Amino acid sequence: MTLFDLSLNEIHNRLHAKDLAVTDLVAQAFKTICEQDDKIQAYLTLNEEGATESAKALDEKLVSGEARGLLFGLPVGVKDNIVTEGLRTTCGSQFLKNYDPIYNATVADKLRQADAVTIGKLNMDEFAMGGSNENSSFAPVRNPWNLDYVPGGSSGGSAAAVAAGEAYFTLGSDTGGSIRQPASYCGVVGLKPTYGLVSRFGLVAFASSLDQIGPLTKNVEDSAYVLQAIAGYDAKDSTSAKVDIPDYVSALSGEIKGLKIAVPSEYIGEGVDAEVKQSIMDALAVLEGLGAEWEEVSLPHTEYAVATYYLLASSEASSNLARFDGVRYGVRAENPGNLLELYHQSRSEGFGDEVKRRIMLGTYALSSGYYDAYYLKAQKVRTLIKRDFDNVFEKYDVIIGPTAPTTAFKLGSQLDDPLTMYLNDILTIPVSLAGVPAISVPCGFASGLPVGMQIIGKAFDEQTVLRVAHAFEQNTNHQQRPQL
Ligand SMILES: NC(=O)C[C@H](N)C(=O)O
């Protein structure tokens, strides 16, 4: 039992009663990191000095009785593609191994305004490209449930840190499943908000029409609190939505009577592990017991989602990553003969294999002669996939299925097979293409590894998604922590 096993309200009550100090919480985080992180490798950079200073300032605030932010005193780890002023931000890439940003991402500012304490930056697949964290150019993250297994990716460090008690909560980013899939593999809660709900100003862009920032937490209530703190319009992000932000925490009523759930046959059919499917069926029975109704439906274009995603996301990546040329950011090649050689050598040395693979795929899909056949076609298929969701949401409140077809796999087992790796995201990618919100909540174990249930909602209806996830969590006991 550590301080991080307490709920947010328990922590706040104890802080208020002066029974606990923010410095204790921060010390707890660094103690656990120091004891365990050489095994897990979730952190790339620690902010021990800065966090201790912030903790002291917050403790003074506690004494003076000043107003406290929503996430007061909570130690947070931030995925390393979210820029943090003066705190190294590498994107898991050698290219940015010496990049110290001169500004904060909007979410980093929002965390500070909410009085959370940033304790460090979290390991990830290079530029968020990967589903196992083995594409980090620093070190692979390991799954706290079994160190021989991957934690998922690309926010593997963010998920593993929460599971291992190395942060109270973390932020990740999700382009095609990067919050939900690692949350599922590590047995924590991961929320991908609706596209446009959370500002992406200061998130290093991978695929701009898909990227979203969201929380990874131990439970659904914390997820609602963090979303409350980070959601909202931001003039600095042109894709930021001007919508009213509801009260996510008070949406957690426990009441789901009459809720209409759709279960896509494609999400429980061929390719889905039998034990994973069984966990989802058991979870549906729990929801039914709470008064919800479920029916099988079809999302007929699911089979095209992975191909569509890899054309669109890679095309966007090839354009977004053009800025890494050895001149403006990061590492510069030594002794190039001329400017072209400088670009060529810096990019050859700076990027890892997966990033290069995507840049080549994207550049090819955008090149003249192939643009219509690949990029434009993929855009059209994306619309069809989105329409699948629109149709189902005319009749149903949420869509439920597994987050991933299997539990975590062994380190190294899929490294030589990018296509198999890509297919791990087959159930999260369609949701990203449709731009709608989804959460992964722990719903059981298969061969000793956590299984995640994905609850998908209508655009900007995070309240319902959180309400269903919370009702499920309150009536089950899957929220467990690994023994390390
Ligand atoms: N970035 C993501 O959301 C994960 C996905 N596996 C990808 O490699 O693109």
Side-chain angles (χ1 to χ4, degrees):
M1 173 95 181
T2 77
L3 291 172
F4 292 178
D5 293 312
L6 300 173
S7 74
L8 187 143
N9 284 323
E10 280 165 341
I11 286 187
H12 282 173
N13 289 340
R14 286 183 60 175
L15 286 170
H16 188 67
K18 314 263 184 317
D19 185 22
L20 179 70
V22 178
T23 35
D24 299 332
L25 287 166
V26 168
Q28 161 85 69
F30 288 112
K31 179 172 172 276
T32 314
I33 292 169
C34 181
E35 283 166 1
Q36 298 174 356
D37 206 49
D38 55 338
K39 286 186 282 189
I40 311 280
Q41 306 187 128
Y43 282 90
L44 291 174
T45 306
L46 293 178
N47 182 32
E48 197 158 1
E49 216 179 291
T52 309
E53 246 173 62
S54 309
K56 284 186 190 148
L58 290 172
D59 280 334
E60 279 165 25
K61 216 172 176 180
L62 213 50
V63 175
S64 73
E66 241 178 279
R68 276 171 266 157
L70 200 57
L71 307 175
F72 188 87
L74 301 177
V76 52
V78 176
K79 187 176 180 180
D80 214 17
N81 56 352
I82 295 172
V83 302
T84 41
E85 189 180 349
L87 191 58
R88 187 173 80 131
T89 299
T90 69
C91 286
S93 180
Q94 292 300 319
F95 220 133
L96 294 177
K97 68 179 177 202
N98 58 8
Y99 175 50
D100 275 328
I102 53 165
Y103 69 104
N104 258 339
T106 295
V107 287
D109 277 337
K110 288 203 169 206
L111 288 178
R112 207 170 36 194
Q113 283 153 16
D115 288 333
V117 182
T118 300
I119 54 172
K121 301 299 292 289
L122 292 158
N123 206 346
M124 55 182 282
D125 284 300
E126 186 176 11
F127 288 103
M129 296 175 192
S132 69
N133 239 282
E134 294 162 294
N135 295 337
S136 161
S137 74
F138 295 94
V141 180
R142 289 168 184 269
N143 191 315
W145 287 95
N146 184 331
L147 299 174
D148 293 332
Y149 284 71
V150 303
S154 64
S155 312
S158 304
V162 174
E166 295 184 3
Y168 191 79
F169 74 95
T170 61
L171 290 187
S173 69
D174 191 311
T175 305
S178 272
I179 290 175
R180 292 160 286 159
Q181 183 252 27
S184 159
Y185 285 6
C186 291
V188 301
V189 175
L191 173 69
K192 181 200 89 77
T194 309
Y195 182 76
L197 184 68
V198 176
S199 168
R200 298 172 313 158
F201 177 73
L203 171 70
V204 179
F206 159 19
S208 309
S209 76
L210 295 150
D211 300 337
Q212 254 301 282
I213 295 172
L216 292 103
T217 55
K218 286 181 312 208
N219 58 48
V220 177
E221 188 183 52
D222 290 357
S223 187
Y225 274 111
V226 179
L227 184 64
Q228 199 77 56
I230 63 172
Y233 175 72
D234 179 14
K236 292 185 202 150
D237 173 359
S238 60
T239 61
S240 175
K242 279 191 178 144
V243 290
D244 290 334
I245 303 303
D247 186 336
Y248 297 114
V249 180
S250 65
L252 310 178
S253 62
E255 183 57 61
I256 58 164
K257 209 173 253 146
L259 184 95
K260 291 201 164 56
I261 302 172
V263 179
S265 48
E266 294 81 2
Y267 284 36
I268 49 171
E270 205 194 322
V272 176
D273 176 88
E275 278 185 272
V276 169
K277 180 175 171 183
Q278 192 52 51
S279 299
I280 299 301
M281 293 330 241
D282 294 345
L284 288 167
V286 171
L287 296 172
E288 222 171 13
L290 296 171
E293 295 158 25
W294 71 270
E295 272 174 352
E296 227 172 285
V297 298
S298 176
L299 294 171
H301 295 94
T302 302
E303 62 174 306
Y304 306 111
V306 172
T308 304
Y309 173 84
Y310 278 92
L311 285 169
L312 295 179
S314 304
S315 297
E316 293 180 30
S318 81
S319 157
N320 276 327
L321 269 58
R323 74 192 64 176
F324 300 105
D325 54 11
V327 177
R328 289 166 289 185
Y329 295 92
V331 173
R332 175 178 296 202
E334 277 173 33
N335 307 321
N338 56 39
L339 185 63
L340 262 188
E341 272 177 39
L342 167 68
Y343 293 157
H344 187 253
Q345 281 176 25
S346 301
R347 287 170 72 82
S348 301
E349 291 162 17
F351 290 136
D353 286 349
E354 183 61 27
V355 177
K356 287 178 186 161
R357 186 179 292 130
R358 306 245 187 143
I359 292 173
M360 285 190 279
L361 180 64
T363 308
Y364 184 79
L366 289 175
S367 57
S368 81
Y370 295 105
Y371 182 94
D372 286 2
Y374 295 112
Y375 182 76
L376 206 62
K377 180 80 147 271
Q379 289 286 28
K380 289 178 182 166
V381 180
R382 180 178 188 170
T383 303
L384 296 176
I385 291 168
K386 185 180 174 302
R387 276 190 205 146
D388 282 355
F389 283 90
D390 293 344
N391 290 339
V392 170
F393 281 133
E394 274 179 19
K395 260 184 80 186
Y396 299 89
D397 302 305
V398 290
I399 299 173
I400 287 183
T403 305
T406 66
T407 52
F409 45 91
K410 269 204 159 147
L411 271 145
S413 63
Q414 297 187 5
L415 255 187
D416 299 334
D417 187 358
L419 207 56
T420 303
M421 188 79 90
Y422 295 170
L423 286 169
N424 293 314
D425 290 336
I426 188 154
L427 307 178
T428 47
I429 278 176
V431 180
S432 302
L433 291 169
V436 294
I439 199 167
S440 179
V441 275
C443 73
F445 288 84
S447 314
L449 290 166
V451 178
M453 166 167 66
Q454 184 173 212
I455 305 169
I456 306 161
K458 297 174 188 168
F460 300 107
D461 191 14
E462 275 75 5
Q463 286 161 291
T464 303
V465 169
L466 288 162
R467 180 160 57 88
V468 179
H470 180 253
F472 175 73
E473 191 184 73
Q474 293 299 301
N475 288 280
T476 49
N477 186 26
H478 303 302
Q479 224 187 304
Q480 294 169 30
R481 299 275 73 87
Q483 290 296 319
L484 276 155

